[in-house]
């Protein structure tokens, strides 16, 4: 039986119940593992010359530093093919991609979240590569993350990693507040328990807050994360029920909106939360201005460890005024008696098409490039840099000689959260997925900013979301309570 990752079996079971992220491409001379892209010789890859373009953000701390090497390794593997990589920041990734898509000339590959496939599929700009990938490519991947790249029976890319959106705590501050973080890692916590815990993390000095209990990035590209993560723990694992009714009209969604205001009104979170972007959030954590930060991926432990080393070495590149931090992975709280459901994030290399139908040969070449980036040595180096799990056998094989400094407790915590991961929903029609993204972009995110700024009430936001949902899906297409 094909070996799975530590989480695949559980998530796959969930998935079936609904029908179903150092030197990249270092060019070392070690024999390539079976199933690795490097196992194909240049002679086997001969053919007409072709160029594959890719728009890629800084997936891991060292990812963009290795683009030239990745391009060279790809051409070494396929002498007739050229991989041309365009770098993008996380902040301008969506704008660059949308501009190219709207012009009818998108890149062949773009690194995006799997949830974004519906948006571009609705525009008929993503490319189904199910007939271009080889059986060997498909067999290399764990089934659960691969399912996230599927919509309406098509395969629109290959996943880079499958991780959970969690939160992260400062070990010293957690223990000073009397919080049993090891127990919480394994057993979770309710919203009421979390609310009391973050109150204990607040520190007041000279009448001002010098440390908050909890800070979450809610500005810029992180704007969509906060609610999307929280609501999964409130009985809303997906924007749609299994019979495709929109769920954010539920009273459970309103309860989460009330909690969002409560944590600010308690003083546990800053009143200026709506202006906190991902960079400021992380700076606040490393400088001791918050006990718990969010969202958090496994790579944050690596980033904290690297900053600790710079502090020890009196390296001027350490974050200004930062302190040493032991990063502790923590789950999100659950609401109103609902079971915890982790937000599984599957990002990857999604295939795009222009206005003209691509040739079968070009489509096959795009699939080769996607597999080169998502598997084998390239993936092993990237995911090691991210502290993320390997989701292909070829990457696991390539990573056998790589050392890891991950905290075992954090590994166990991520394992536990993955047991509760929300399943893939390839059954959701593209048209519904695209409408949900539109409601999120045009209503939920702007109204959330207003809620955070105390300009509207939770009830007013819920009413606005409900009205937009009914307009988008019809009165019979939403959850009614």
């Amino acid at each position: 039986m094909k070996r799975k990752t530590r989480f695949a079996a559980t998530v796959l079971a969930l998935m079936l119940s609904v029908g179903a992220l150092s030197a990249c491409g270092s060019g070392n001379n070690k024999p390539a593992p079976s199933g690795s892209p490097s196992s194909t010789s240049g002679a086997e890859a001969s053919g007409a010359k072709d160029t594959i373009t890719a728009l890629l953000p800084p997936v891991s701390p060292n990812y963009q530093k290795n683009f030239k090497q990745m391009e060279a390794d790809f051409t070494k593997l396929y002498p007739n093919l050229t991989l041309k990589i365009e770098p993008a920041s996380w902040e301008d990734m969506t704008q660059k991609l949308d501009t190219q898509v709207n012009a009818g000339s998108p890149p062949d590959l773009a690194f995006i979240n799997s949830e974004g496939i519906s948006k571009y599929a609705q525009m008929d700009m993503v490319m189904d590569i199910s007939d271009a990938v080889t059986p060997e490519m498909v067999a290399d991947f764990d089934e659960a993350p691969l399912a996230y790249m599927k919509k309406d029976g098509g395969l629109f890319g290959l996943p880079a990693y499958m991780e959970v959106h969690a939160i992260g705590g400062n070990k010293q501050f957690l223990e000073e507040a009397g919080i049993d973080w090891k127990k919480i890692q394994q057993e979770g916590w309710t919203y009421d328990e979390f609310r009391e815990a973050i109150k204990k993390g607040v520190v007041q000095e000279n009448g001002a807050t010098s440390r908050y209990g909890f800070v979450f990035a809610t500005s810029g590209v992180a704007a969509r994360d906060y609610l999307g993560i929280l609501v999964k723990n409130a009985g809303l694992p997906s924007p749609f029920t299994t019979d495709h009714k929109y769920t954010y009209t539920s009273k459970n969604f309103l309860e989460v909106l009330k909690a969002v205001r409560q944590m600010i009104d308690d003083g546990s979170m800053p009143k200026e939360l709506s202006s906190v972007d991902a960079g400021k959030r992380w700076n606040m954590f490393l400088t001791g201005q918050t006990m718990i930060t969010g969202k958090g991926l496994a790579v944050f432990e690596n980033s904290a460890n690297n900053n600790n080393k710079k502090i020890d070495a009196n390296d001027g590149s350490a974050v200004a005024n930062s302190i040493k931090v032991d990063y502790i992975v923590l789950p999100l709280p659950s609401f109103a008696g609902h079971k915890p459901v982790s937000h599984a994030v599957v990002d990857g290399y999604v295939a795009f098409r222009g206005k003209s139908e691509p040739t079968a040969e070009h489509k096959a070449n795009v699939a080769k490039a996607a597999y080169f980036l998502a598997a084998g040595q390239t993936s092993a180096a990237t995911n090691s840099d991210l502290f993320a799990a390997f989701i292909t056998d070829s990457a696991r094989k390539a990573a056998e000689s790589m050392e890891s400094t991950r905290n075992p407790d954090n590994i166990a915590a991520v394992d536990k959260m993955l047991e509760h991961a929300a399943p893939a929903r390839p059954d959701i029609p593209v048209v519904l997925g695209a409408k949900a993204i539109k409601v999120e972009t045009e209503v939920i995110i702007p109204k959330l900013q207003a809620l955070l700024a105390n300009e509207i009430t939770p009830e007013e936001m819920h009413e606005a979301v409900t009205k937009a949902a009914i307009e988008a899906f019809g009165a019979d297409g939403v959850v009614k309570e």
Side-chain angles (χ1 to χ4, degrees):
M1 179 180 290
K2 180 181 181 291
R3 185 160 64 96
K4 303 295 185 286
T5 61
R6 49 190 165 78
F7 56 84
T10 301
V11 181
L12 177 59
L14 286 169
M15 180 186 72
L16 292 175
S17 73
V18 297
L21 237 227
S22 166
C24 291
S26 59
N28 59 38
N29 295 319
K30 294 170 62 176
S34 175
S36 164
S38 301
S39 63
T40 304
S41 69
E44 294 173 317
S46 62
K49 290 187 178 297
D50 195 9
T51 297
I52 300 92
T53 58
L55 181 65
L56 308 178
V59 175
S60 77
N62 292 305
Y63 186 71
Q64 291 189 331
K65 298 175 184 177
N66 295 288
F67 282 175
K68 293 300 181 184
Q69 186 65 55
M70 291 159 64
E71 290 173 337
D73 287 348
F74 183 72
T75 296
K76 182 178 179 180
L77 180 62
Y78 302 107
N80 61 304
L81 303 181
T82 298
L83 177 61
K84 183 179 180 181
I85 302 175
E86 178 185 356
S89 70
W90 284 118
E91 292 293 336
D92 67 9
M93 178 69 192
T94 299
Q95 181 179 357
K96 278 191 173 184
L97 180 57
D98 285 349
T99 298
Q100 294 176 24
V101 166
N102 290 331
S105 56
D108 293 308
L109 295 169
F111 189 94
I112 64 172
N113 186 277
S114 57
E115 294 178 0
I117 293 174
S118 292
K119 169 185 175 181
Y120 298 107
Q122 180 72 4
M123 302 167 69
D124 195 28
M125 295 300 282
V126 290
M127 183 168 67
D128 182 0
I129 60 171
S130 56
D131 59 347
V133 292
T134 67
E136 292 78 16
M137 292 177 184
V138 173
D140 194 21
F141 286 88
D142 297 325
E143 290 95 331
L146 189 64
Y148 278 76
M149 310 304 284
K150 297 178 180 179
K151 293 288 180 184
D152 288 354
L155 177 67
F156 296 95
L158 296 176
Y161 53 77
M162 179 175 183
E163 282 296 327
V164 289
H165 278 166
I167 52 180
N170 178 311
K171 179 181 176 182
Q172 178 184 345
F173 295 168
L174 291 169
E175 293 179 347
E176 287 176 355
I179 298 170
D180 189 348
W181 56 268
K182 287 191 177 182
K183 179 180 180 181
I184 293 166
Q185 282 186 328
Q186 292 301 308
E187 299 180 12
W189 44 2
T190 65
Y191 169 65
D192 290 337
E193 292 170 335
F194 178 75
R195 185 182 178 191
E196 292 305 311
I198 61 176
K199 287 181 183 180
K200 295 176 183 178
V202 177
V203 174
Q204 296 282 337
E205 294 180 357
N206 300 318
T209 302
S210 60
R211 183 202 305 161
Y212 292 95
F214 183 37
V215 171
F216 200 103
T218 60
S219 178
V221 295
R224 68 187 299 270
D225 295 330
Y226 195 24
L227 281 179
I229 295 170
L230 288 176
V231 298
K232 283 181 167 53
N233 292 277
L236 304 173
S238 168
F240 295 96
T241 62
T242 54
D243 58 351
H244 299 158
K245 292 185 182 297
Y246 188 73
T247 61
Y248 292 174
T249 54
S250 164
K251 63 182 180 181
N252 294 342
F253 189 76
L254 177 58
E255 290 306 306
V256 174
L257 298 181
K258 291 178 180 179
V260 167
R261 271 309 318 170
Q262 281 181 331
M263 290 183 283
I264 298 174
D265 294 338
D266 285 344
S268 300
M269 303 185 80
K271 287 182 170 60
E272 308 80 14
L273 190 66
S274 62
S275 67
V276 177
D277 61 17
K280 184 175 181 179
R281 170 275 319 267
W282 188 236
N283 182 280
M284 291 180 71
F285 183 72
L286 292 183
T287 56
Q289 296 179 69
T290 183
M291 179 177 69
I292 298 175
T293 191
K295 66 181 179 182
L297 287 169
V299 68
F300 287 15
E301 180 187 346
N302 195 21
S303 296
N305 291 347
N306 289 335
N307 196 67
N308 291 342
K309 293 176 183 177
K310 293 178 180 180
I311 293 174
D312 287 338
N314 293 316
D315 187 331
S317 65
V319 172
N321 301 316
S322 59
I323 60 176
K324 294 185 68 173
V325 175
D326 287 331
Y327 183 89
I328 299 299
V329 173
L330 296 168
L332 274 296
S334 56
F335 294 81
H338 290 286
K339 295 180 179 180
V341 177
S342 302
H343 183 179
V345 55
V346 178
D347 297 340
Y349 304 94
V350 174
F352 285 78
R353 49 162 295 166
K355 295 178 180 179
S356 301
E357 183 71 23
T359 65
E361 184 173 10
H362 182 67
K363 184 188 286 191
N365 292 337
V366 171
K368 290 173 184 177
Y371 183 60
F372 169 80
L373 293 168
Q377 178 66 29
T378 309
S379 173
T382 304
N383 285 22
S384 293
D385 200 22
L386 283 165
F387 277 27
F390 306 111
I391 60 171
T392 62
D393 287 335
S394 61
R396 281 188 282 268
K397 182 67 176 177
E400 286 178 352
S401 61
M402 298 179 181
E403 295 183 4
S404 174
T405 59
R406 291 186 69 186
N407 181 334
D409 288 319
N410 287 342
I411 295 174
V414 172
D415 285 345
K416 179 59 65 173
M417 284 185 279
L418 282 163
E419 291 179 7
H420 307 297
R425 291 293 305 274
D427 63 295
I428 297 174
V430 163
V431 64
L432 292 185
K435 287 183 179 180
I437 292 173
K438 182 177 175 65
V439 171
E440 177 185 69
T441 302
E442 297 182 358
V443 182
I444 293 177
I445 291 176
K447 292 298 182 182
L448 175 61
Q449 298 303 308
L451 177 64
L452 294 173
N454 207 19
E455 296 170 354
I456 62 173
T457 65
E459 289 79 8
E460 288 170 335
M461 176 171 172
H462 186 255
E463 182 179 350
V465 172
T466 300
K467 179 180 178 181
I470 292 174
E471 290 176 355
F473 305 105
D476 293 331
V478 305
V479 169
K480 298 178 181 177
E481 295 173 333

